[in-house]
Amino acid sequence: MKTKAVRLYGANDLRLEEFELPEIKETEVLMRVVTDSLCTSTYKAVKQGAAHKRVPPDIAEKPIIVGHEMCGEIVKVGAQLTDKWKVGQKVVIQPALKLETNYDPGYSYQFIGGSSTYAVVPEVVLERDCLIPYEGDSYFKGSLAEAFGCIIRGYKGLYHTDYETYTRTDGAKKGGRVAILGGAGPMGIGTVELAVGYAGVKQVVVTDLNADRIAFAEGKSSPENAAKNGVELIYLNTSELADPVAKLLEISEGGFDDVFVMVPVPALFTMAEAICRFDGCINFFAGPAVHDMQGSLNLYRVHYDGIHVVGTAGSIPVDMVDVIKLLEKDAINAGALVSHILGMNAVIDTLYAMEKPNGAKKVCYNELDIPLIAIADLPELGKTNPLYARLAEIVAANDGLWCAEAEKYLLENAPRI
């Protein structure tokens, strides 16, 4: 079986190639990869090459396939696995194998990665329950399950304490208030979606310093849609405020039960503690690029007001399973995260361009020959291209968000590579 894939040979050395995959073993499956959502974590691996902790040292001789947010279907099953897996079955990959070697799909393997048309799912992925069945109505939602999985792990990491009995309750406080600081990026939008469709809170406040980013996020996850689920959603540009802490305390009527810090800025960490109410929990969700970043807290409040601090990163298979259930019943809107679509030929340039982030998640349809296209640009592109004109109509009917109907039309009508 031949596959086309984007392979990494060294730092900043990506190549789109066609090559032969090995015949699968009795303990492996062959997967057709329909979609892969491009991630900044892949960009970091591309920039570092073999210096990255997940990338093997011999990639110049044994290049790896990049991409780890993949969804597709099984096309062949090894002889020992036919009782569990079936040809035609939709699946997603949980890329965090938690191996001592740090090796994961999309970073470490020659024959499996999201930026490919076909991939061999190795035995280690199956042993760790990281090949996960998926019955959603579209492939792009499955590709976004990994991003949502990291966020749902963030919610599961929160906790609260009854200080009369010292009984601990995991998760965001039910009926409580959540602040998402620096939350107008793609992961912040996902955190909003899970706050509304999963966490069971009554108020969500999202802050950012940039008016354009706030407008973008508000257009993806709107206060109107949140209100339909009984959640008050507020976007706040703190660059316009003389005293952001005072305003946040006013909006929350005295403080938030849970606070996500989505940008690795020490000042936001300090602000998070200042806006927490009694028994508040802070998740420093952002991953710093430096190893010695320092932040400050009012330790008096940590002791007497019971402020909790946690940090979560990545997800585990059960998180992906939980997210898939939410996606399958449309409890969260994966389309809110999608800002662009593209085909395999555009992957390399799109990854390099992540040096200057823009938009939200970019979903690649691996078998299609389309350039990088912003969802917001479909109406203009449709003036000269009937494919994009019809996609613009479908998206407009879905509140401007990418959706299953748009994907179906794209897969049926777009040119192939």
Side-chain angles (χ1 to χ4, degrees):
M1 171 70 71
K2 287 187 180 294
T3 188
K4 288 186 178 180
V6 176
R7 298 202 285 184
L8 183 66
Y9 283 79
N12 295 308
D13 187 357
L14 285 172
R15 307 177 196 178
L16 175 58
E17 301 174 316
E18 185 175 53
F19 55 95
E20 193 77 28
L21 289 172
E23 184 64 29
I24 65 168
K25 301 174 184 176
E26 293 187 349
T27 54
E28 297 177 332
V29 301
L30 182 66
M31 174 182 177
R32 180 171 75 96
V33 187
V34 180
T35 55
D36 180 57
S37 175
L38 275 58
C39 180
T40 54
S41 295
T42 298
Y43 171 74
K44 294 174 185 177
V46 170
K47 295 298 290 184
Q48 296 178 42
H52 192 282
K53 68 178 184 179
R54 296 183 183 182
V55 177
D58 59 350
I59 55 172
E61 295 78 32
K62 298 178 180 179
I64 59 96
I65 302 176
V66 300
H68 58 274
E69 298 181 0
M70 65 194 93
C71 179
E73 64 179 19
I74 293 174
V75 295
K76 190 173 183 180
V77 181
Q80 294 185 29
L81 303 174
T82 54
D83 59 334
K84 182 174 182 180
W85 302 102
K86 305 298 179 186
V87 172
Q89 187 174 6
K90 283 184 183 177
V91 289
V92 298
I93 298 287
Q94 157 59 268
L97 302 182
K98 309 295 184 184
L99 300 172
E100 292 183 4
T101 59
N102 287 320
Y103 285 1
D104 290 315
Y107 300 93
S108 318
Y109 294 98
Q110 289 182 271
F111 305 121
I112 182 172
S115 290
S116 62
T117 51
Y118 292 90
V120 176
V121 182
E123 185 176 1
V124 64
V125 173
L126 299 163
E127 287 177 339
R128 292 188 170 255
D129 294 323
C130 289
L131 182 67
I132 302 173
Y134 167 67
E135 297 179 2
D137 60 4
S138 55
Y139 292 98
F140 83 91
K141 293 180 183 178
S143 277
L144 294 172
E146 196 273 339
F148 277 118
C150 296
I151 299 167
I152 205 170
R153 172 50 47 189
Y155 276 105
K156 291 177 179 180
L158 301 170
Y159 70 97
H160 297 276
T161 305
D162 181 335
Y163 282 97
E164 292 186 359
T165 63
Y166 279 90
T167 303
R168 171 172 160 160
T169 303
D170 291 336
K173 188 168 184 178
K174 299 302 180 185
R177 303 171 189 264
V178 173
I180 306 172
L181 305 184
M187 295 302 277
I189 294 170
T191 306
V192 172
E193 284 295 313
L194 281 168
V196 173
Y198 165 77
V201 301
K202 69 177 181 181
Q203 184 188 59
V204 181
V205 178
V206 182
T207 75
D208 204 276
L209 296 172
N210 184 283
D212 291 338
R213 285 199 300 266
I214 288 176
F216 178 84
E218 191 168 0
K220 292 293 187 179
S221 289
S222 71
E224 293 76 16
N225 284 336
K228 295 175 183 178
N229 287 273
V231 179
E232 180 187 22
L233 173 58
I234 299 170
Y235 289 90
L236 188 67
N237 186 344
T238 51
S239 70
E240 301 174 346
L241 302 174
D243 190 345
V245 169
K247 183 63 175 179
L248 287 164
L249 289 173
E250 175 190 336
I251 291 173
S252 62
E253 298 181 349
F256 294 88
D257 301 288
D258 298 286
V259 183
F260 282 88
V261 180
M262 307 302 293
V263 183
V265 175
L268 281 185
F269 182 57
T270 301
M271 178 188 287
E273 174 262 303
I275 64 173
C276 270
R277 64 176 67 235
F278 182 85
D279 189 40
C281 191
I282 303 167
N283 189 333
F284 192 73
F285 190 82
V290 296
H291 293 188
D292 59 350
M293 179 175 286
Q294 304 296 314
S296 64
L297 291 173
N298 181 341
L299 298 180
Y300 181 93
R301 291 205 68 214
V302 170
H303 182 83
Y304 287 103
D305 288 347
I307 305 300
H308 314 305
V309 178
V310 300
T312 59
S315 64
I316 57 177
V318 68
D319 300 326
M320 294 276 282
V321 171
D322 290 345
V323 164
I324 286 170
K325 291 177 182 177
L326 293 171
L327 291 169
E328 288 174 345
K329 64 181 182 181
D330 291 326
I332 52 178
N333 191 345
L337 266 66
V338 181
S339 62
H340 296 72
I341 56 173
L342 66 150
M344 180 80 77
N345 292 334
V347 167
I348 293 177
D349 288 343
T350 303
L351 284 173
Y352 286 140
M354 284 185 172
E355 181 179 3
K356 296 180 180 179
N358 71 308
K361 299 296 286 186
K362 299 170 176 66
V363 177
C364 180
Y365 288 89
N366 292 340
E367 297 177 346
L368 302 186
D369 186 10
I370 57 173
L372 178 68
I373 299 167
I375 304 303
D377 290 345
L378 284 171
E380 183 64 27
L381 294 171
K383 293 178 180 178
T384 56
N385 187 310
L387 170 67
Y388 301 144
R390 178 57 186 144
L391 287 174
E393 293 174 356
I394 296 171
V395 168
N398 191 52
D399 297 325
L401 303 181
W402 191 245
C403 58
E405 184 183 355
E407 176 181 279
K408 184 175 185 293
Y409 185 82
L410 179 73
L411 289 172
E412 290 175 351
N413 294 278
R416 327 301 279 192
I417 58 174

